[in-house]
């Protein structure tokens, strides 16, 4: 592993750092390191911009967002090429990520009014004289710290929804993909005629720390659990609420009646696509023992010829973050040392920039390949005696982000028993492509939701209003209330809620 692949800042005033192509080490771009003063200035500009953006109607904001969607769509080749150079992922994978992001921008723009606009709610008999409404108002300025593995799709899951809700956004992209983040902000700035509604602050860890401590109204973070805890601690200084998406250790369950060819195809893609650098990717596979051998034969046949490389024929790109190579190697070594069998790849699969596809079987459940997030093109595949055992092992983790189930008869019932925020039945990661569905996890995978109606509300606060329509029959909010009124209230509440049930 060469140190030149690690982004480093140039010392001195006006610091800069380079983003690098992880496949070659070539410089893709040079970007400024934003300090605390720079971040605070960006937040101040965003505060001014939200006075305009937040006071637009839902329809007006939708027009701008849909224009932005069209701009990204027309320039998709340009953005995909930049993402390819900064992440190393194949062009087709980079384009697919952008396609999904475009879908989410459109959904957020078109549905914000319906989800967040003022609506009437029932007042109840006690408050029958009151008209009650609830609406969802923008928080103000939202900070977003994005990851490098999906530098378009993942941050836009927060950015697009926060913008649709009426917030301004200050976005700190990963130091590995700053060019993608700057491209997104620049294209949106063109749409809103130079206003500071979406800004980017580039830099290393200290820039993200400064954004956490700035006078923002909420922060959305995607990254490791360790960094997520640091983000929460920094945001706690100002009681800034956070949305955390901190990775997972997702499993794919294969029942004995599953379509094995489709299940193997899904497991292989879920584990190896994007070089395994997917929070919702497949890292563990539990296969019913009755079909385990057939499944293994199928997945190994499909994996024949699959490889990582820098050439256009390779279907898997490099490991974007060099330090992850050591993690991947240690997980493979630990599993093999504990008795796992490497049926594809293995300890020698980890190179200086690329990791060749690796499949391990009969992996001990206490090995790091099972218990910790690997984030590489590896699969740990184990046989199970029943779906009850598969669910138990799936849930025996500190994470709870996503997963998949392949079964013809019992897919839904198995999926409901998995402790995770999202599950696909007879497919992988399909939930991410459905904009109306919330995206997020439980446990060490984080909390809060992006996408869907939940994602829109995540960047708002609920505003409740009551309006008196006529004078109340009984005035309960007055010191003039007498004992007779209290008696009538007691009779009314007994009539409404006393019920027929009694304690035995």
């Amino acid at each position: 592993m060469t140190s030149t692949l690690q982004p480093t800042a140039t010392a001195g005033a006006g610091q800069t750092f380079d983003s690098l192509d992880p496949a070659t080490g070539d410089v893709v771009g040079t970007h400024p390191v934003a300090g605390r003063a720079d971040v605070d200035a960006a937040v101040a500009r965003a505060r001014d911009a939200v006075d305009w953006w937040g006071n637009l109607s839902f329809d007006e904001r939708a027009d701008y967002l849909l224009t932005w969607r069209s701009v990204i769509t027309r320039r998709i080749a340009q953005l995909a090429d930049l993402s390819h150079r900064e992440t190393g992922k194949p062009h087709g994978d980079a384009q697919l990520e952008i396609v999904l992001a475009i879908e989410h921008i459109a959904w957020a723009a078109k549905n914000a009014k319906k989800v967040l606009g003022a609506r009437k709610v029932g007042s109840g008999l006690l408050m029958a004289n009151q008209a009650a409404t609830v609406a969802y108002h923008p928080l103000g300025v939202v900070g977003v710290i994005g990851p490098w593995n999906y530098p378009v799709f993942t941050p836009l899951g927060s950015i697009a929804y926060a913008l649709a809700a009426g917030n301004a956004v200050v976005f700190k992209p990963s130091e590995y993909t700053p060019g993608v983040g700057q491209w997104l902000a620049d294209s949106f700035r063109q749409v809103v005629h130079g206003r500071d509604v979406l800004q980017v602050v580039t830099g290393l860890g200290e820039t993200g720390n400064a954004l956490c401590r700035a006078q923002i109204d909420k922060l959305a973070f995607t990254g490791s659990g360790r960094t997520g805890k640091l983000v929460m601690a920094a945001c706690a200084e100002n009681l800034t609420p956070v949305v955390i998406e901190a990775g997972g250790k997702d499993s794919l369950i294969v029942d004995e009646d599953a379509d094995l060819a489709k299940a193997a195809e899904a497991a292989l893609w879920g584990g190896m696509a994007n070089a395994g650098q997917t929070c919702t990717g497949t890292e563990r596979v539990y296969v019913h023992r009755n079909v385990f051998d057939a499944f293994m034969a199928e997945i190994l046949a499909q994996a024949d010829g699959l490889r990582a490389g820098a050439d256009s024929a390779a279907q898997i790109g490099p490991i974007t973050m060099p330090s992850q190579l050591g993690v991947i190697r240690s997980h493979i070594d630990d599993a093999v040392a504990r008795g796992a069998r490497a049926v594809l790849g293995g300890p020698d699969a980890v190179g200086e920039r690329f990791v060749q596809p690796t499949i391990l079987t009969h992996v001990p459940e206490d090995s790091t390949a099972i218990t910790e997030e690997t984030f590489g093109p590896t699969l740990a595949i184990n046989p199970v005696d029943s779906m009850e055992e598969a669910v138990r092992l799936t849930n025996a983790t500190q994470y709870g982000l996503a997963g998949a189930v392949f079964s013809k008869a019992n897919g839904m019932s198995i999926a409901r028993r998995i402790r995770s925020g999202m599950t696909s039945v007879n497919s992988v990661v399909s939930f991410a492509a459905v904009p109306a569905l919330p995206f997020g996890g439980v446990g060490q995978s984080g909390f809060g939701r992006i996408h869907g109606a939940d994602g829109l509300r995540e960047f708002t606060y609920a505003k409740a209003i009551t309006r008196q329509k006529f004078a109340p029959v009984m005035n309960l909010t007055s010191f003039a209330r007498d004992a007779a009124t209290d008696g009538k209230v007691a009779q009314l509440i007994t009539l409404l809620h006393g019920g027929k049930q009694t304690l035995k």
Side-chain angles (χ1 to χ4, degrees), residues 74 96 105 150 208 228 287 298 332 362 369 373 405 429 449 490:
R74 290 194 299 269
L96 177 60
I105 295 171
Y150 290 95
V287 184
E298 180 66 38
I332 296 173
H362 300 85
E373 187 174 36
V405 177
V429 205
R449 294 293 183 269

Side-chain angles (χ1 to χ4, degrees), residues 3-87:
S3 61
T4 56
L5 293 183
Q6 190 77 29
T8 56
T10 302
Q15 285 185 319
T16 61
F17 71 104
D18 295 332
S19 65
L20 306 171
D21 184 330
T24 64
D26 294 341
V27 174
V28 178
T30 300
H31 303 268
V33 175
R36 179 66 184 266
D38 301 312
V39 172
D40 288 343
V43 171
R45 292 192 297 270
R47 189 73 62 191
D48 290 338
V50 84
D51 286 340
W52 168 73
W53 181 253
N55 285 306
L56 295 176
S57 69
F58 285 109
D59 290 338
E60 289 171 326
R61 283 197 295 269
D63 285 342
Y64 282 110
L65 287 167
L66 292 174
T67 299
W68 188 35
R69 166 211 59 181
S70 298
V71 169
I72 295 173
T73 301
R74 290 194 299 269
R75 302 176 186 174
I76 194 169
Q78 180 187 111
L79 180 55
D81 182 66
L82 177 57
S83 178
H84 160 72
R85 286 185 288 130
E86 286 199 321
T87 66

Side-chain angles (χ1 to χ4, degrees), residues 243-278:
V243 182
I244 300 287
E245 197 263 275
K249 191 70 181 178
D250 299 345
S251 84
L252 184 149
I253 293 174
V254 182
D255 201 355
E256 60 183 328
D257 69 341
D259 183 325
L260 297 186
K262 293 297 184 183
E265 180 182 32
L268 195 62
W269 190 87
M272 308 298 176
N274 203 40
Q277 301 168 124
T278 303

Side-chain angles (χ1 to χ4, degrees), residues 22 83-84 86-90 93-98 145-155 171 173-178 180 221-224 245-248 270 273-281 283 318-321 324 373-376 401 429 439:
S83 178
H84 160 72
E86 286 199 321
T87 66
K89 67 177 66 182
D93 288 354
Q95 177 175 288
L96 177 60
E97 174 192 349
I98 299 165
I145 298 179
W148 47 264
N149 59 331
Y150 290 95
V152 178
F153 172 76
T154 299
F171 173 36
S174 167
E175 57 267 36
Y176 293 94
T177 54
V180 172
F221 166 82
T222 303
S224 71
E245 197 263 275
N274 203 40
Q277 301 168 124
T278 303
C279 295
T280 57
E283 297 206 359
I319 300 303
T320 305
M321 189 169 69
Q324 197 63 29
E373 187 174 36
T374 305
F375 229 55
L401 188 57
V429 205
F439 186 105

Side-chain angles (χ1 to χ4, degrees), residues 272 306-309 316 328 332 344-346 348-351 354-359 377-378:
M272 308 298 176
L306 185 67
R307 64 178 178 86
I316 300 173
I328 298 167
I332 296 173
L344 181 70
D348 294 336
V350 182
F354 298 88
V355 176
Q356 297 304 324
T358 292
I359 296 177
T378 67

Side-chain angles (χ1 to χ4, degrees), residues 107-127:
W107 193 93
K110 295 176 181 179
N111 287 275
K113 182 177 182 179
K114 179 175 65 177
V115 173
L116 305 177
R119 58 184 174 86
K120 296 178 180 179
V121 298
S123 302
L125 190 57
L126 279 178
M127 291 288 117

Side-chain angles (χ1 to χ4, degrees), residues 42-56 61 140-141 163 166-170 188-189 192 194-199:
V43 171
R45 292 192 297 270
R47 189 73 62 191
D48 290 338
V50 84
D51 286 340
W52 168 73
W53 181 253
N55 285 306
L56 295 176
R61 283 197 295 269
V141 178
L163 291 173
N167 302 281
V169 175
V170 178
F188 189 75
R189 179 177 289 275
V192 295
R195 294 181 174 91
D196 295 312
V197 180
L198 170 60
Q199 299 172 81

